[in-house]
Structure formats: structure tokens, C-alpha cells
Amino acid sequence: AAARAGAGWAALHARRPLDEGLVVYSASSHRGVLGDPAAVYHAAREFAPHLRGVWVVRDQETAAGLPDGVEHVIVGSRRYREVTARAKFFVNDVNWPGTLAKRPGSVHIHTHQGTPLKYLGADLRDKPGARLGFDVPRMLRRADRWDYSLVASRHAELVWERAYPCHFTSVRTGSPRNDVLVRGGSGGFRERHGIPADHTVVLYAPTRRDYRRGGHVDRIDLARFAADLGEGYTLVVRLHPSLANGPARGMGLAELARRRIVVDATDEPHLADVLLAADALVTDYSSLMFDYAVLDRPIVIHADDWPAFTASRGTYLDITAEPPGHVTRTCRELSGLFGSEGWRDEESARLRAAFRARFCEFEDGRAAERVVRTLLLGEPMSGPASRVPGQSGSRDALSPA
């Protein structure tokens, strides 16, 4: 009965005209003012203050943590059904629920959650382990509501258009959440966690594994790696969000953080603050490497299980053949690379420059402004990432791994 009543309420408001000044935002499955949607929201308040922005959040607890002055609705509530029935614009980094009906004239802007390395969407059809729990046809039906897909490079553009063969237009805006990385700054992460100003911060950010139940495999001994880094270094660890409440944290990382052997940054809501604090990134196959490359700082790829990972998940390129820095395959190699200072040598800089040229192509620090001016206000596209929606551009070829 409640569902029927809610559907009726939404249908009632769907008969009213679209509100041309209403923009509905959501990020990370309604977890708050985060990521690309947050960057677009703040830019809209600056460049289009006449637009009204409303955030969709998942529950009252999330709503209580929102910044002051942020208008919001709880997903599934009557107010949620009202604003989603009447909004002209929708900005989200994941798909909206299937119950949300796209009205003619509304504009859905999909920001994504980073440049993809791992298979997504339709490409998961032949990867049963990776798509466990995901309904690919349903994902494609929801993606078919997108009007615009934001991309930071031609690689990302090709991936999204291949993984989601739907009726949307790719727009070469850059990633709004990375504007702050282009501008630089500190973000205050070091101060909040008591990290000495003269310490070299190494960020370790592993991704999940689809070939293991629960997604977690201990790739390196964190305590040993922190000890090998030695005096003057601080090891910061950020787990994949899907592992934040799992055994990877409860059985090891939490205790190491309590003993101040490492700093646990898994719960940091604003990823940019963590990236800005790091002097180097160590990761395996996390798409976080594409964001961190914007900073033009050393990156090390620890690829000890690359064959198993690619077999189970699939990747759009061989990151060990086209890396953003040195590649290690054992913990001894990883520690030795930092002990010898090789992690920031000339070869590392050369590899990073080629990587940035390909994958940070449209990151110029004006992505959020560009989205607001071009897609919300209808102004002509400008800047180095120029591409008029609907206009064809040059194409790269994806490199299958």
C-alpha cells in the first residue's frame, strides 16, 4: 500500500511542468556531498546561483552529517518522489534506482567514479565472478537514462561507450572532483592525523579481488613495509570502500592504526585531501591512480597477482606494460625500490609523463565550471577539453589486456 501511495504521489507531480531551475544530486549511492557531484554542486552555487540544488541521501544519519545549508531529501520519501518527478537536471556518479522514471525534457548527467581500468557494464558478461550480484541488463537499462557522460580522457570515453552501449553523449569536460588536485593545496589531512610536516607520506591504496570471497587478499605485510620505509616516512592506508567494514580492516589495519604504525584513511570522506597529503602512491589496480596522476607525483604499481586479477576481472589495458611508474612484483622489490630512492628517479618521471598525457588529457582544473556552464546553462563549450555535445571527435583504440 505504501509503495502504491508513493507511486501515485510521484505520478501526480509528474503531471506538473518540469522545474527548470531544480538540480537533483546524489553521490556514492546517496552517501552525502561527495565526489564529482559535489564539485558540480559547489560550482553551480558560484556560477549559477539561481539554480536550486537538492541532495538525495540514504537515511537520517547521513542527512545529519551534511554541511549546513544543504537542502536534501531521503531516498524513497514523499519529498524525494516530488523533487525527482519535477527536476530538470540530475547529477549522479552511480545509477539512480530503477523506480525513478525519466521524464521527457529532463537531463541526466552521469559523472562516473573515476577513469576505468577494470571491466564494467556489458564487458562483465563473460566474467561471472566479477558480476556476482550484478544484473547486467538492469545496469544497461538504467544507463540508458543518461544524457551525458563526463570523461577525463579519450580512453575513458571509449570505455564508457563500449561498456554501456546506450543513448548518451560523451562530454570531454574532465573530472570535476579533480579540479582541486590541479589547483593544489594541503587539504589539512596531515594536521588532522598528526603527521610531521617533514615526513614523506606514502599512500597505499589496494583494490578488491573478485577471485576471492569477500574481495580481500593481503598483498603486503603493512607493518613490515612501514618498518622498511624507516624514519621520516609515514605509511597511509586507504582500503577500497567495499572492504571498509570487512576483515581486512578489523583483523589487521585497525590494530596497526591504533598502534600508530600506519594511518588508516579508509573513512576519510574527501579523497582529494588524502591524495594531496601523499608524496607517493603505491597501488595495485585501483582507478585511484588516474586521479593521483593529476598531481604529477610518483606512483608505484605493485602487481604481484596480475595474471589472476586479469583472468577474473578483465582490464582495458595492461597496466604492467603501460604503467605510471615502476612496477614491483614482490614485497622485497617494493621495499628495495623505496630504500634505493628509485621510486622517484628519472625513469619514474618518464613513465608518469606518458601516463598523464594519455589519461589526464582533459584535466585542466575547470571541469566543474565547464559542466555548469555547458550542461546546466547551455553555454558553448570552451577550453582545452572542448567538445560540443553530439559532435564527433578523434578516436583512440582500446588496448585489451
Side-chain angles (χ1 to χ4, degrees), residues 33 52 63 75 78 93 142 205 210 218 222-223 236 251 301 304 371:
V33 183
R52 173 189 169 205
V75 66
R78 288 184 65 178
D93 60 7
R142 293 183 177 184
D210 295 298
D218 284 320
L222 295 177
V236 175
M251 294 176 60
I301 300 297
D304 63 331
V371 171

Side-chain angles (χ1 to χ4, degrees), residues 64-373:
L66 294 177
D68 293 339
V70 173
E71 187 176 355
H72 66 276
V73 295
I74 307 296
V75 66
S77 66
R78 288 184 65 178
R79 286 275 296 122
Y80 163 81
R81 295 178 185 275
E82 179 181 341
V83 299
T84 55
R86 297 209 56 209
K88 171 71 172 183
F89 301 101
F90 292 79
V91 181
N92 197 356
D93 60 7
V94 295
N95 278 313
W96 293 97
T99 54
L100 192 154
K102 186 177 189 299
R103 290 184 61 182
S106 63
V107 177
H108 283 233
I109 301 169
H110 198 80
T111 68
H112 305 289
Q113 290 185 324
T115 295
L117 170 65
K118 304 178 282 286
Y119 274 7
L120 298 164
D123 289 325
L124 292 175
R125 289 174 300 174
D126 297 326
K127 300 292 182 180
R131 61 178 167 83
L132 182 64
F134 291 94
D135 185 326
V136 173
R138 183 178 66 181
M139 292 167 64
L140 296 180
R141 286 194 298 271
R142 293 183 177 184
D144 210 27
R145 294 180 294 196
W146 305 349
D147 291 290
Y148 299 111
S149 166
L150 308 188
V151 300
S153 65
R154 277 172 283 191
H155 164 83
E157 180 179 320
L158 289 172
V159 167
W160 296 123
E161 292 180 358
R162 167 178 148 172
Y164 295 93
C166 302
H167 300 88
F168 60 83
T169 296
S170 296
V171 191
R172 297 174 177 180
T173 57
S175 301
R177 71 185 180 283
N178 287 342
D179 290 347
V180 65
L181 302 182
V182 176
R183 294 192 295 266
S186 65
F189 177 85
R190 290 183 180 232
E191 292 78 6
R192 288 197 304 275
H193 291 273
I195 301 174
D198 60 345
H199 269 213
T200 298
V201 173
V202 177
L203 171 62
Y204 175 54
T207 194
R208 64 174 291 117
R209 265 58 177 183
D210 295 298
Y211 64 83
R212 288 291 294 269
R213 179 174 296 179
H216 173 68
V217 181
D218 284 320
R219 306 315 318 169
I220 65 175
D221 183 330
L222 295 177
R224 177 65 180 270
F225 184 39
D228 289 344
L229 287 174
E231 294 293 328
Y233 283 81
T234 294
L235 179 60
V236 175
V237 181
R238 183 179 177 89
L239 297 179
H240 189 276
S242 66
L243 304 176
N245 297 315
R249 200 171 183 194
M251 294 176 60
L253 179 56
E255 176 62 15
L256 293 177
R258 187 189 68 80
R259 293 162 56 193
R260 299 296 297 171
I261 294 174
V262 303
V263 173
D264 182 3
T266 305
D267 285 338
E268 284 288 323
H270 301 293
L271 176 59
D273 289 352
V274 184
L275 299 185
L276 286 166
D279 297 296
L281 169 68
V282 176
T283 186
D284 35 40
Y285 325 115
S286 171
S287 62
L288 188 148
M289 72 178 80
F290 298 100
D291 296 334
Y292 191 75
V294 173
L295 291 169
D296 196 17
R297 298 175 188 174
I299 302 173
V300 176
I301 300 297
H302 188 61
D304 63 331
D305 64 339
W306 177 247
F309 185 86
T310 54
S312 62
R313 179 60 188 254
T315 60
Y316 293 107
L317 70 146
D318 184 348
I319 199 63
T320 65
E322 303 175 86
H326 290 291
V327 178
T328 61
R329 298 183 186 275
T330 67
C331 293
R332 177 174 294 181
E333 285 183 6
L334 179 62
S335 294
L337 188 67
F338 279 89
S340 68
E341 296 292 316
W343 59 280
R344 52 183 173 186
D345 62 11
E346 292 184 2
E347 177 65 5
S348 171
R350 184 190 68 79
L351 293 169
R352 187 168 68 252
F355 188 86
R356 294 179 73 244
R358 181 178 179 187
F359 299 108
C360 304
E361 190 176 4
F362 306 139
E363 304 283 32
D364 65 351
R366 296 184 56 225
E369 177 186 350
R370 190 172 291 118
V371 171
V372 172
R373 293 191 182 279

